[in-house]
Every structure is written in C-alpha cells, then in structure tokens.
Amino acid sequence: MNLMPELPEVETIRRVLERKIAGRTIQCASLRVPKLAASRLTRDLRPQAASLLRRLRGRKILGLRRRAKYLILDLDAGRLVVHLGMTGQLFARVPGEKPCCDLPALPDKHTHLILELSGRVRVYYRDIRKFGRLRFLKPGEEEAFFRHLGLEPFSRGFTPWTLDAGLHGKKASVKALLLNQHVVAGLGNIYVDEVLFRSRIAPQTPGGRLTSERIRRLHAAIREVLREAIRFRGTTLSDYFDPESRRGAFQFRLKVYGREGEPCPVCGRPIIKNVVAQRGTHWCRHCQR
DNA sequence: CTCGGCCTGCTC
DNA sequence: GAGCAGGCCGAG
C-alpha cells in the first residue's frame, strides 16, 4: 500500500496521463463509491455522484493541469478536479501499450471510477483508503475552489520575500506551516522533512522566528527538492505507480525520510524520528537547528 | 491552531 | 489486536 501523492508525484501523473487522454472524449463514466464525489457529506450521496457522471459523459478532454496536489482535467465544458488523498492512483490503459507491470489487474475491488474514452483508452481511479475526492467545477468556480491554497512553489510569485511574509508572526512550527497548504502549496510529510534537512532548519522551529538567511535557504530548498523529485518521477516507497504503472526513483535520494537510525549523509550521526505537528518527523539533530 | 475523523492494509 | 501510514476537513 502506501502511496505518496505530494506535488512531485501528482506532477508526474499529470505529465504521463496528459499524453494519453488529451483530445479524447469521455464516452462512458462509472463511479462505484459515491462518497468520492461528495462536496459535503449528506445522507444520500448518490445524487451528487449521478450529477458528476452526467456532466462528464460526452465531454472532450482538452488538457490536464496541476494546482498543488490537485489534478484538473479541463473539459470542453467545465473541469474535473481530482485529489488523490493518501492512496489514490490513476492508471491509463491504451490499446497496444503494455503497462510496465500490471499490479493489480484492473479494475479491481479498489477501483472506484472508470472513464472509457474514445480510441478505447480507459482511465481507472483506484484508492484503497478512499480519502480522495472528485469534484466537477463549472466555469468560474475554480478560483473560489482553490482560494485556500497558498503559493505554487514554481510560480514567479513564490520568492524568499513572499515566503517570509507567509511565515511572519506565526508561532506554529515551520513543519506545521509547510504542511498546511496556506503559505506554500504542494508539500507533504516526506518532502517537508527533506526540505528542512536541506535547509538545515529544525522542524519544530517557530515559523515566525526564522532569520532572512534561513528563509532564503528554505525557499531554495523547496524548489530544489521538488524539482529533483519530479526529475526522478516521484517517490515509490512501497507501491506508488504512475499511470503507466511505472515506479518513481526518488526514494533512493531521500536523505532523512524513512531513515531513522541511519547515519546522516552530512555528519554521520543517526537520523532521529519524533513527532512534530502530529506527524512522524525525520531529521538530524546536529545539522538542523 | 490543534485535534479527531475519514478508510484500509501492513507491521509488530 | 493495537498502532501506524505520505491527505484534508471541520469542530472546538
């Protein structure tokens, strides 16, 4: 189990999937778990699911974008927003293209949404824990939907100064502030630990107390870690796969995450793990202050 | 802001 | 059988 859809994985999925589905028409859509389409929890979720499917059928897919950890399928009318939650996966099957490995055979009992596209292409949404979300947005609804999200790490607006402004006056730990998506959007538990190691900042440091020098390091580390993770097609700890069933390779480049007790790659002292912001946190007590 | 809840499966 | 896991949301 255990996937890791943070920004690099979602971006990898976007790149792979877009090639296979852009320009195709959704001929058929079926959803087995209505909860995934719920905008809010009501007693009977089926109407929300039915409405989502009605709006997908017959639509042409124009392209695929990413905002933070969300995937956005742009349609000729409206758009489908997909959040993979903790264990969501998207697979595309194109006739004549062999998947790198076919685990699991699709669709299986965890496959909750199936899109049949023109050209006999099929898209499967699979999600063991069902924390993911599917949401149809009408034109004009997108801005409000993403209003709560902070800066995109690779946008021009994300600078040491805007990062500083976002952290200014905050008492919460820098780890908590990077995990909640309000300041900068797209980091999750793995990449926050890696970013803090690279910028040599202890995770429990209050965000509002960082000097401008450390903010600069933090800003650079966020971009560097994410860029390298995208280059390696994300992190596969156990069985994260992209839509072609390929694994990522960034797990071999993780410096602290999942390496409790192993020597710090810089100073050789053991990496420690404790709880910060209610999350398992891996760091080097000597290098990070 | 912090916490519990949402789910399933794996490890101890 | 308990505890833990990479996400987010809503309640307090």
Side-chain angles (χ1 to χ4, degrees):
Chain A
M1 55 173 290
N2 282 352
L3 325 174
M4 63 283 65
E6 301 182 35
L7 187 151
E9 292 74 34
V10 177
E11 177 61 23
T12 302
I13 291 167
R14 188 197 70 74
R15 292 177 182 185
V16 173
L17 196 55
E18 184 172 47
R19 288 200 305 271
K20 300 177 185 293
I21 67 171
R24 299 192 185 275
T25 300
I26 302 172
Q27 293 172 334
C28 199
S30 59
L31 179 64
R32 292 210 306 218
V33 178
K35 178 179 113 73
L36 292 170
S39 53
R40 62 207 164 78
L41 293 178
T42 53
R43 240 203 338 261
D44 189 358
L45 299 165
R46 284 169 302 184
Q48 293 187 66
S51 144
L52 174 82
L53 295 177
R54 198 169 52 240
R55 289 171 161 144
L56 292 180
R57 291 186 184 122
R59 299 277 60 78
K60 183 173 176 181
I61 300 169
L62 303 180
L64 193 52
R65 287 179 294 133
R66 178 190 58 75
R67 171 77 172 101
K69 303 174 194 173
Y70 293 86
L71 278 168
I72 306 164
L73 268 87
D74 281 315
L75 308 174
D76 55 3
R79 57 222 47 184
L80 174 67
V81 176
V82 180
H83 194 291
L84 302 172
M86 207 92 122
T87 55
Q89 300 168 303
L90 278 165
F91 295 100
R93 291 295 178 258
V94 178
E97 283 185 22
K98 275 265 183 295
C100 295
C101 52
D102 211 357
L103 297 174
L106 294 169
D108 68 345
K109 66 168 179 169
H110 296 300
T111 305
H112 309 313
L113 173 75
I114 302 174
L115 301 179
E116 295 178 32
L117 310 183
S118 48
R120 293 178 52 237
V121 171
R122 279 190 159 78
V123 174
Y124 300 95
Y125 177 74
R126 183 171 185 269
D127 188 351
I128 292 177
R129 289 170 76 178
K130 301 178 200 152
F131 286 174
R133 282 294 172 269
L134 307 166
R135 181 74 190 277
F136 186 90
L137 296 183
K138 293 178 226 165
E141 290 181 334
E142 186 173 334
E143 194 192 317
F145 185 79
F146 291 121
R147 198 187 299 282
H148 68 287
L149 289 178
L151 293 160
E152 197 63 37
F154 295 113
S155 68
R156 304 194 61 172
F158 180 60
T159 67
W161 300 277
T162 52
L163 177 59
D164 195 12
L167 298 175
H168 183 79
K170 300 282 171 62
K171 283 198 223 159
S173 64
V174 61
K175 167 123 184 180
L177 293 166
L178 294 179
L179 279 176
N180 93 22
Q181 307 288 299
H182 297 117
V183 180
V184 53
L187 296 167
N189 204 35
I190 295 179
Y191 294 110
V192 167
D193 282 3
E194 294 298 309
V195 160
L196 290 173
F197 176 76
R198 182 180 268 262
S199 46
R200 311 197 303 277
I201 297 169
Q204 70 279 11
T205 311
R209 295 249 183 82
L210 296 170
T211 62
S212 56
E213 164 58 22
R214 309 181 96 203
I215 297 271
R216 259 200 304 280
R217 289 209 310 260
L218 183 58
H219 172 266
I222 288 170
R223 287 195 166 173
E224 287 160 8
V225 167
L226 292 178
R227 185 174 296 119
E228 197 186 350
I230 292 170
R231 189 155 64 87
F232 282 85
R233 306 171 61 93
T235 301
T236 297
L237 289 188
S238 182
D239 61 347
Y240 157 77
F241 296 97
D242 75 12
E244 292 177 317
S245 300
R246 289 179 63 176
R247 294 167 187 279
F250 196 71
Q251 60 277 16
F252 305 117
R253 327 232 2 141
L254 294 172
K255 301 218 181 340
V256 289
Y257 187 87
R259 302 203 182 280
E260 179 185 14
E262 294 179 33
C264 165
V266 171
C267 76
R269 292 174 175 81
I271 298 297
I272 60 168
K273 180 180 180 188
N274 62 1
V275 175
V276 179
Q278 295 93 239
R279 311 298 295 276
T281 300
H282 313 73
W283 58 295
C284 174
R285 187 160 263 149
H286 180 255
C287 294
Q288 295 173 252
R289 310 212 163 243

